[in-house]
Amino acid sequence: ATVIPVSPLKPPAHVEDYLRADYLHPEAVQAQGADVAERRFRAVLRRLQLPPSFTCVRYNSLHVSPAEAASLLGSHVQQHGQVCGGEIPVLHHPQVPDILLVPVLETRVQQEHGLPQVVVAVECGNAVLRGAHVYVPGILAAPKTMRAGDRVAVFVDIGGQCRRGTVKPLCGPVLFVGNGVARLSRAQIFLKDGVTSGIGVSMTEPLYFSPSFENLPPSIFFPQNLPCVLAGHVLDVRPGLRVLDMCAAPGGKTTHIATLMGDTGEIIALDKTAAKVQKIQNNASRLNLKSIQTFCCDSTQAIASGPHTGKGLLWWVGHPPFPEEYFDRVLLDAPCSALGKRPCLGFPASLRQLQSYAPLQRKLLAAAVALLRPGGVLLYTTCSVASAENERQVAWALRTFPQLHLVAQEPHLGGQGLPGAGLDPQHLRLLQRFDPGSETEDGVCGVSTTPRAPHNLDRAITDTIGFFMAKFTKLPISPQ
């Protein structure tokens, strides 16, 4: 089998072509210059396979002060510091008040030949690169002789050629992600009545080190990517508002909104899958939030129709579908291709699947506009870097709904929108794009050649997941 280092990994041709059309669009090239546009595109492709420079942890500001949160998290993090041979800082963000940042440290651990080889699935490998241990469901292969307590080398099956339970150690292209200690024997993992959950391998020498957050107080801390936390602030909520989160699972943004509103007001969280609704409920419960109402509902069908629609609310019974123009704030964190998720060691979606999200996003945008009251705020977000799901959707919304207007976002930490969707420069400046290919501390587009500096907060903004935000307000339609 071929053991591939992280740096040369290459996405499938259809993914590369899909993103090239955005980053090397003639308008983008004209705005940035051909060399900068090309470097930015190549940097995006490479950085998508690497973890961000910082792990972001949101704390429950209803229960702890910033100082108390930093002290609690700092104590937890320092218990893990010996793994990387030094103290790990816990940092406040100067512009986002309810998060703490922990640097992700590149350990440069080397593959150690002769160790038993454990092969894991891609999703498991993604989690390991962000600081997780290897859990049993993610293990695909292990040697017959592996026993609990053995030191092992962990590889990711990036070629998708490894069948679960095989004894052949490396059966296709694989990626080394670190060394660890087996907690279970091979028999315990793969026998019919074996262990089906829990940690299978403790990662003692990961390629990238970030402390485990498993044992943090669940009512206080919630690991969440920085742009996702920022969305709650940009939505500009306050106590007493009616807020709709249209695609809310697993509930990170919903619970943040409830916290920002002092756990008051009317907060409705929808998802069309019952199991995902349960996750929202579980996260609300762990954070001791009472103001969130959850419903299993397809948000494209969340608008009441028939003779009872209109301004009157006496008929409404308190669950979906909702009257038109009922909500003061609407968050549409739309289903998307997730082409901003980091790290991403595999791209299983076909081109047809990538292209399938835009029509659904437009249906959801239409529902969001109908449910938003005049003067209200709609925040549209995705965790994708594809313009088809971002800037082009904004251009479509502005053409289709004349009552929608883009407004400034605060805080505005990301870059502006990507040219090429037909938006004018003023509109692009109002958008907020977190782009893994954006400028580094070296001052050039691309991956920095300097070591990850643990105190450099600039990288907390420039080296995040890919994420996009557009903030609209809805004006009354003037009578003709």
Side-chain angles (χ1 to χ4, degrees):
T2 304
V3 179
I4 299 175
V6 173
S7 54
L9 270 179
K10 188 176 176 66
H14 70 276
V15 174
E16 186 168 344
D17 292 342
Y18 187 65
L19 295 180
R20 179 186 286 108
D22 295 336
Y23 284 90
L24 300 183
H25 188 280
E27 289 185 27
V29 171
Q30 183 178 14
Q32 303 169 89
D35 289 345
V36 172
E38 178 69 28
R39 287 202 303 271
R40 184 177 182 182
F41 170 56
R42 293 298 165 189
V44 166
L45 295 182
R46 183 178 187 275
R47 279 191 172 180
L48 285 176
Q49 67 192 304
L50 303 175
S53 289
F54 286 83
T55 297
C56 178
V57 182
R58 173 168 62 84
Y59 60 86
N60 190 339
S61 56
L62 297 178
H63 295 307
V64 291
S65 69
E68 291 169 332
S71 177
L72 281 170
L73 184 61
S75 296
H76 174 85
V77 165
Q78 296 322 315
Q79 295 175 13
H80 301 265
Q82 67 273 13
V83 175
C84 62
E87 184 173 321
I88 305 169
V90 172
L91 307 171
H92 292 277
H93 195 285
Q95 293 166 278
V96 187
D98 49 0
I99 64 170
L100 296 168
L101 297 165
V102 181
V104 176
L105 305 178
E106 188 174 359
T107 66
R108 302 185 185 275
V109 63
Q110 298 295 312
Q111 180 185 348
E112 196 171 323
H113 296 284
L115 290 182
Q117 298 163 341
V118 173
V119 180
V120 303
V122 165
E123 283 303 315
C124 180
N126 290 337
V128 168
L129 287 179
R130 290 211 72 168
H133 296 297
V134 174
Y135 283 77
V136 170
I139 299 176
L140 298 177
K144 285 182 178 180
T145 57
M146 189 179 81
R147 301 287 184 267
D150 286 353
R151 288 187 67 234
V152 297
V154 179
F155 298 84
V156 182
D157 175 34
I158 59 172
Q161 298 178 23
C162 185
R163 291 186 304 161
R164 179 171 169 79
T166 184
V167 296
K168 188 176 180 181
L170 304 181
C171 39
V174 293
L175 178 77
F176 173 71
V177 291
N179 302 316
V181 175
R183 289 198 182 182
L184 301 168
S185 68
R186 175 191 161 80
Q188 289 174 298
I189 295 170
F190 291 117
L191 285 182
K192 183 177 180 181
D193 297 322
V195 178
T196 58
S197 62
I199 297 174
V201 176
S202 296
M203 295 301 299
T204 54
E205 299 172 294
L207 200 59
Y208 290 89
F209 176 76
S210 181
S212 169
F213 298 113
E214 291 173 342
N215 298 318
L216 287 173
S219 63
I220 295 176
F221 294 106
F222 194 97
Q224 192 172 11
N225 288 298
L226 187 151
C228 301
V229 179
L230 195 65
H233 293 284
V234 170
L235 189 60
D236 188 28
V237 295
R238 55 183 181 272
L241 293 181
R242 287 177 178 155
V243 181
L244 173 64
D245 189 348
M246 295 181 71
C247 305
K253 297 179 186 69
T254 311
T255 55
H256 187 211
I257 289 166
T259 303
L260 293 173
M261 292 174 62
D263 202 20
T264 67
E266 188 176 344
I267 304 167
I268 305 293
L270 305 182
D271 203 281
K272 68 177 183 179
T273 305
K276 291 184 177 181
V277 171
Q278 185 62 55
K279 288 183 179 180
I280 304 169
Q281 294 170 348
N282 292 345
N283 281 322
S285 177
R286 66 176 268 203
L287 292 165
N288 297 320
L289 296 167
K290 310 298 183 186
S291 60
I292 299 170
Q293 301 176 62
T294 60
F295 299 99
C296 187
C297 173
D298 180 345
S299 286
T300 64
Q301 307 296 318
I303 310 161
S305 60
H308 299 297
T309 58
K311 305 296 182 183
L313 299 178
L314 294 178
W315 60 270
W316 187 54
V317 292
H319 58 71
F322 303 102
E324 291 185 3
E325 300 186 344
Y326 182 72
F327 292 97
D328 302 296
R329 301 286 187 272
V330 175
L331 172 62
L332 173 51
D333 185 35
C336 69
S337 64
L339 284 177
K341 177 183 174 183
R342 297 179 62 194
C344 185
L345 299 178
F347 297 87
S350 66
L351 179 59
R352 177 177 291 184
Q353 289 171 320
L354 293 176
Q355 295 171 334
S356 71
Y357 291 100
L360 173 59
Q361 291 161 353
R362 292 185 178 187
K363 290 180 181 178
L364 289 164
L365 272 167
V369 174
L371 290 167
L372 183 67
R373 69 164 177 82
V377 170
L378 162 62
L379 185 65
Y380 174 80
T381 70
T382 76
C383 59
S384 173
V385 296
S387 181
E389 303 173 69
N390 299 328
E391 289 87 355
R392 290 183 211 167
Q393 300 293 49
V394 171
W396 173 84
L398 293 176
R399 291 193 307 268
T400 307
F401 306 105
Q403 66 271 45
L404 281 188
H405 289 259
L406 281 175
V407 293
Q409 302 182 37
E410 183 60 39
H412 196 296
L413 305 182
Q416 66 178 25
L418 195 65
L423 295 169
D424 62 42
Q426 182 179 357
H427 284 149
L428 293 175
R429 286 192 291 270
L430 291 171
L431 304 176
Q432 193 160 192
R433 172 183 270 264
F434 287 85
D435 195 322
S438 61
E439 190 175 37
T440 70
E441 73 269 24
D442 291 333
V444 295
C445 286
V447 178
S448 171
T449 56
T450 60
R452 293 184 170 208
H455 296 281
N456 189 343
L457 281 176
D458 288 342
R459 299 211 69 182
I461 298 169
T462 61
D463 193 18
T464 69
I465 64 166
F467 199 80
F468 177 85
M469 287 189 273
K471 183 178 180 180
F472 302 90
T473 190
K474 179 180 177 181
L475 302 180
I477 298 179
S478 301
Q480 299 295 322

